[in-house]
Amino acid sequence: MGDITKQNVDAIVNAANTTLLGGGGVDGAIHTAAGPELLKECEKLGGCSTGKAKITKGFNLPAKWVIHTVGPVWSGGQYNEKFVLTSCYQNCLKLAEEYQIKTLAFPSISTGAYRFPITEASEIALREIKKHLDQKSSQIEKVLIVCFDEKTYLHYLAQLGHV
Ligand code: ADP
């Protein structure tokens, strides 16, 4: 449980929106902590499609990099939401490998303003991270999932079989 902007890792993941120009929730917190240079770099990226990921520097954050991904808005489950959330985790992990990132922190993508059910979202997150780290070719040493509230934290623990 904690604030992702305070994590001493090589990269943190931002649950952004398609404009990449900042928003509320974790996106707002990351832009505030990183400083205005982050927005300037984001403006050059031309947005990001849902399910994809793009990387910037971390500026004033302890993390060297920010990987911006756009989670799906939950619209009842019939609109490929699970597939798209899976792609978010996969594309972030792929980008992390390309930049030789060893330690990485994720927020709980899509489970805030985008209303993705936490049980399904935590299952996807943990499954995709484990699957990736199980690959022999992976250079990533540590992945954190940083939960901002206790309810979210307890769901991830339950999904891990720890409660
Ligand atoms: P989305 O639009 O993808 O749902 P939100 O930012 O609304 O993104 O919420 C995603 C998750 O990030 C929520 O669980 C929210 O509580 C959490 N969150 C908000 N601020 C922070 C923060 N500073 N560090 C980590 N997680 C955060």
Side-chain angles (χ1 to χ4, degrees), residues 69-90:
T69 189
V70 184
V73 176
W74 182 262
S75 305
Q78 306 304 309
Y79 296 88
N80 269 337
E81 293 97 323
K82 288 188 180 184
F83 175 82
V84 175
L85 188 62
T86 299
S87 305
C88 287
Y89 284 97
Q90 289 178 349

Side-chain angles (χ1 to χ4, degrees), residues 13-70:
V13 173
N14 182 15
N17 58 50
T18 54
T19 68
L20 295 185
L21 299 181
V26 72
D27 195 5
I30 289 172
H31 275 273
T32 301
E37 294 295 314
L38 179 61
L39 181 59
K40 281 193 196 147
E41 194 180 347
C42 284
E43 281 169 354
K44 295 178 190 151
L45 297 178
C48 182
S49 305
T50 307
K52 297 289 192 321
K54 291 191 177 178
I55 193 164
T56 63
K57 295 192 283 297
F59 300 99
N60 297 338
L61 290 164
K64 185 176 179 197
W65 303 105
V66 179
I67 297 176
H68 306 262
T69 189
V70 184

Side-chain angles (χ1 to χ4, degrees), residues 50-161:
T50 307
K52 297 289 192 321
K54 291 191 177 178
I55 193 164
T56 63
K57 295 192 283 297
F59 300 99
N60 297 338
L61 290 164
K64 185 176 179 197
W65 303 105
V66 179
I67 297 176
H68 306 262
T69 189
V70 184
V73 176
W74 182 262
S75 305
Q78 306 304 309
Y79 296 88
N80 269 337
E81 293 97 323
K82 288 188 180 184
F83 175 82
V84 175
L85 188 62
T86 299
S87 305
C88 287
Y89 284 97
Q90 289 178 349
N91 286 322
C92 288
L93 290 159
K94 207 172 141 203
L95 209 45
E97 298 287 0
E98 283 168 25
Y99 280 74
Q100 274 128 39
I101 287 159
K102 306 280 180 230
T103 56
L104 176 65
F106 281 97
S108 180
I109 301 165
S110 279
T111 67
Y114 285 1
R115 304 180 315 272
F116 203 109
I118 182 66
T119 303
E120 283 89 340
S122 57
E123 187 188 345
I124 290 168
L126 289 165
R127 183 190 67 212
E128 292 309 316
I129 292 166
K130 278 184 186 167
K131 204 163 76 182
H132 186 93
L133 295 179
D134 280 346
Q135 291 174 17
K136 274 214 177 83
S137 57
S138 175
Q139 310 268 326
I140 299 172
E141 290 167 5
K142 187 158 118 178
V143 177
L144 305 175
I145 300 171
V146 181
C147 300
F148 201 53
D149 60 87
E150 195 170 13
K151 182 172 163 266
T152 302
Y153 175 64
L154 290 173
H155 270 98
Y156 278 88
L157 280 186
Q159 205 68 56
L160 283 165

